Amino acid sequence: MNKIKACLFDLDGVLVDTAKYHFLAWKKLANELNIEFSEEDNEKLKGISRMASLEILLSLGNMELSNEMKLKFAEKKNNWYVEYISKLTPNDILPGVKEFLTLLKCHDIKIALGSASKNSMLILNKLNLVNYFDAIIDGNKITKAKPNPEVFLKCAEELNISPKHCVVFEDAEAGIEAAINAGMYSIGIGSPSILKKANFVVDNLSYMNLEKLSLLK
Ligand code: BG6
Ligand code: MG
């Protein structure tokens, strides 16, 4: 029988609705570069690193840039993004997050953050969520973007829990694939038509409880 000993959470789009700000900032850059960029295109950027996202955006516009220019545009996008998130408060935490994290703590299930973002500490501090986490692995600690499992394997390692006892909560296709590649369970947050490979999908964490975790077999 499975026993979940750790829950690993993606940040953007799972704990807080920052995915919309990533989209707005990429859209602004796309406009500046005269690249057409839709919400559907944006799905491919979810969960992956800033530089990998820029590469996808440039390929949509058949554009090639020097490394120096790429760094410049990635920084520009990040400055817009940081401006958008500067006004985040605990009111922006997504439904059910605090209740579910508290439930896990009460049942001694470990909690980790597994995010590609280099802004994760800034965001967790603004949301007052830092103290819930037993491990925080983010874009500053990893070198390989999701769907590579590095971020989630590092969470398991830091928690000293086997991947087979871990479940990942993700809103991005690349994140669900990273969980599968890590040998972990995965629960999608959002649309079942996009997150087809997850063990199951819920709208948000207010639909989660211990009974649902025990469904993972
Ligand atoms: C992920 C987002 O959580 O973090 C991606 O889903 C984003 O859209 C990535 O590109 C990197 O974030 P940041 O904040 O370091 O640019
Ligand atoms: Mg996400």
Side-chain angles (χ1 to χ4, degrees):
M1 202 193 105
N2 161 60
K3 176 134 169 52
I4 295 297
K5 295 182 182 167
C7 289
L8 281 39
F9 296 90
D10 172 49
L11 174 65
D12 299 310
V14 170
L15 303 180
V16 58
D17 192 13
T18 36
K20 65 183 178 209
Y21 298 125
H22 276 298
F23 172 64
L24 287 176
W26 285 123
K27 179 81 185 153
K28 206 163 165 170
L29 186 66
N31 288 347
E32 193 172 302
L33 297 173
N34 273 318
I35 297 174
E36 280 201 41
F37 182 64
S38 65
E39 289 210 42
E40 203 185 328
D41 297 324
N42 187 57
E43 283 302 319
K44 299 186 199 98
L45 272 52
K46 281 190 182 170
I48 66 170
S49 71
R50 196 180 306 163
M51 290 311 285
S53 300
L54 178 66
E55 296 287 355
I56 293 180
L57 182 73
L58 294 175
S59 71
L60 285 171
N62 289 319
M63 255 180 107
E64 281 184 29
L65 291 177
S66 65
N67 277 343
E68 197 190 339
M69 290 303 281
K70 282 183 196 166
L71 287 172
K72 197 183 125 216
F73 283 119
E75 190 185 340
K76 203 163 187 181
K77 180 267 172 182
N78 190 54
N79 288 341
W80 286 323
Y81 176 67
V82 169
E83 203 177 306
Y84 288 132
I85 61 172
S86 67
K87 294 181 195 73
L88 283 179
T89 73
N91 289 333
D92 295 294
I93 297 172
L94 284 167
V97 169
K98 285 179 105 169
E99 293 79 356
F100 188 54
L101 295 180
T102 305
L103 181 76
L104 296 174
K105 277 234 163 298
C106 290
H107 289 82
D108 205 25
I109 297 174
K110 297 286 179 215
I111 299 171
L113 186 88
S115 167
S117 175
K118 293 186 169 168
N119 292 302
S120 65
M121 285 313 287
L122 172 73
I123 296 172
L124 289 181
N125 277 316
K126 283 197 169 288
L127 304 179
N128 276 338
L129 285 180
V130 180
N131 290 336
Y132 284 95
F133 292 91
D134 301 297
I136 294 178
I137 306 293
D138 70 7
N140 299 299
K141 293 187 180 166
I142 53 164
T143 53
K144 299 176 200 108
K146 299 170 189 174
N148 187 288
E150 184 187 16
V151 66
F152 296 132
L153 289 173
K154 282 204 164 161
C155 288
E157 198 181 310
E158 197 161 314
L159 295 173
N160 201 16
I161 290 178
S162 158
K164 66 176 188 248
H165 294 302
C166 295
V167 56
V168 167
F169 292 83
E170 259 292 350
D171 70 320
E173 232 182 320
I176 297 291
E177 276 175 19
I180 294 169
N181 292 336
M184 298 176 180
Y185 294 100
S186 61
I187 298 177
I189 303 291
S191 157
S193 62
I194 295 172
L195 306 170
K196 293 185 198 84
K197 294 186 188 159
N199 288 95
F200 61 86
V201 179
V202 291
D203 248 3
N204 59 51
L205 290 176
S206 71
Y207 294 91
M208 279 309 301
N209 51 43
L210 296 181
E211 288 72 41
K212 290 243 174 85
L213 281 187
S214 69
L215 293 176
L216 298 168
K217 293 237 158 61

